[in-house]
Amino acid sequence: MCCVGDIITDVLAALLAPLAPDSDTPAHIQVAGGGQAANTASWLAASGADVVLVGAVGDDQAGRERVAELTEAGVRVAAQVCHGSATGAIVVLSTLHGRSMITDRGANLLLTPESVDVGLSDAGRLHLSAYTLLDPGSRRAGRHALEQAMARGIPVSVDAASAHPLEQVGAELFFSWVRGTQVLLANSDEALVLAGGGTPEEQARRLADAVGGSAVVKLGAGGAVWALPDGELLTAPATAVPALDTTGAGDAFAAGLIGALAAGASPDKALSAATALGSQAVTTLGARPPVPVHSEVGR
């Protein structure tokens, strides 16, 4: 399996009280690896799947640390090292009700189609983080990944990434890039941008029609809705857990879903695996999995 997208340093502040502007707010703070595709690859690897990650880092200490920790976690990293550019970084302000992210994508903007080809050379499935599509700097690499995978008949999943960049690009153009995707994943904010208002079930069906495949609308603690290509709707509740930090929960959800599908699971079992792994992610601080991860993915 091949994941394509950002490798990032997360500076995470999980707030313990409402943000006090111009003053002090208590928080749990950590500096660790992040990036949507890197997080999903980490959850896949920790769950037993064989996964290669294609991304770009700077020729700097942060880049070396990000690649080393991913490798130690069991991810095969095909990292494009960009001289003269810094490894990307994000400041994440996280509460149990949501997250705000201040982003410097850095070297991720320089990802090339040639680097994508290395990771796709022996892949049986592609998972693309739409951040790669939504920024003009990395768009050519993202579109190349989709075109090559679809030309080879490789199943493709795309995570819609983030509502604000989607608004800037527009739904019509975004759909023109991802049409033919087997599974499109979107949270409720992203679904609103791409599919308009309505129930999650209505949004999932509109998204599935737009890509010509299937679409999942992630609802956080409310679970998820999956519209299959034949119009069938599947729903799954989220597991009730003591939540600490929501960072990376959607990335873990994606890993649970596509990992289970790659292992031959039925759609209903894959959706259950996704919600279970997403729920597990909110019990820990940060976007990456603890070791070991309790999951049936890849087994």
Side-chain angles (χ1 to χ4, degrees):
M1 187 179 310
C2 178
C3 293
V4 175
D6 286 3
I7 302 172
I8 289 281
T9 299
D10 276 355
V11 182
L12 170 65
L15 304 185
L16 299 175
L19 183 65
D22 301 319
S23 188
D24 294 277
T25 304
H28 294 303
I29 298 175
Q30 73 171 23
V31 178
Q36 189 172 73
N39 297 339
T40 297
S42 295
W43 284 99
L44 282 164
S47 301
D50 179 28
V51 57
V52 59
L53 170 67
V54 175
V57 296
D59 184 15
D60 53 20
Q61 184 61 28
R64 289 184 283 274
E65 289 176 355
R66 299 293 78 81
V67 171
E69 67 197 7
L70 286 162
T71 302
E72 186 177 358
V75 178
R76 293 186 287 128
V77 186
Q80 174 187 325
V81 179
C82 302
H83 302 279
S85 181
T87 297
I90 296 179
V91 176
V92 184
L93 301 180
S94 174
T95 72
L96 293 182
H97 306 292
R99 289 168 296 120
S100 296
M101 293 170 285
I102 305 164
T103 305
D104 177 357
R105 292 188 63 222
N108 292 292
L109 298 175
L110 303 178
L111 185 65
T112 65
E114 292 75 20
S115 294
V116 169
D117 287 337
V118 173
L120 276 178
S121 60
D122 61 352
R125 177 176 290 269
L126 168 68
H127 180 69
L128 178 72
S129 165
Y131 282 110
T132 306
L133 292 171
L134 296 175
D135 198 301
S138 52
R139 185 170 298 154
R140 192 165 65 96
R143 295 193 64 184
H144 179 78
L146 292 173
E147 290 163 2
Q148 291 301 306
M150 291 180 187
R152 291 167 50 187
I154 297 172
V156 172
S157 53
V158 175
D159 195 306
S162 184
H164 182 60
L166 285 169
E167 286 179 330
Q168 294 178 310
V169 166
E172 184 175 353
L173 185 56
F174 178 75
F175 287 138
S176 75
W177 297 331
V178 301
R179 196 161 288 119
T181 296
Q182 183 192 47
V183 186
L184 175 67
L185 299 101
N187 65 25
S188 54
D189 290 337
E190 295 151 7
L192 182 61
V193 171
L194 293 174
T199 67
E201 292 81 4
E202 291 168 338
Q203 292 173 322
R205 281 192 164 128
R206 286 189 215 119
L207 292 173
D209 288 343
V211 300
S214 71
V216 177
V217 177
K218 300 174 288 182
L219 303 171
V225 177
W226 189 3
L228 299 178
D230 61 2
E232 181 183 2
L233 280 172
L234 300 178
T235 61
T239 306
V241 294
L244 176 63
D245 172 34
T246 61
T247 307
D251 307 334
F253 179 101
L257 188 81
I258 62 177
L261 289 176
S266 63
D268 59 331
K269 290 188 180 299
L271 189 59
S272 294
T275 55
L277 210 56
S279 294
Q280 184 177 344
V282 304
T283 65
T284 61
L285 188 66
R288 301 280 177 84
V291 178
V293 167
H294 302 292
S295 170
E296 295 303 313
V297 175
R299 296 179 185 170

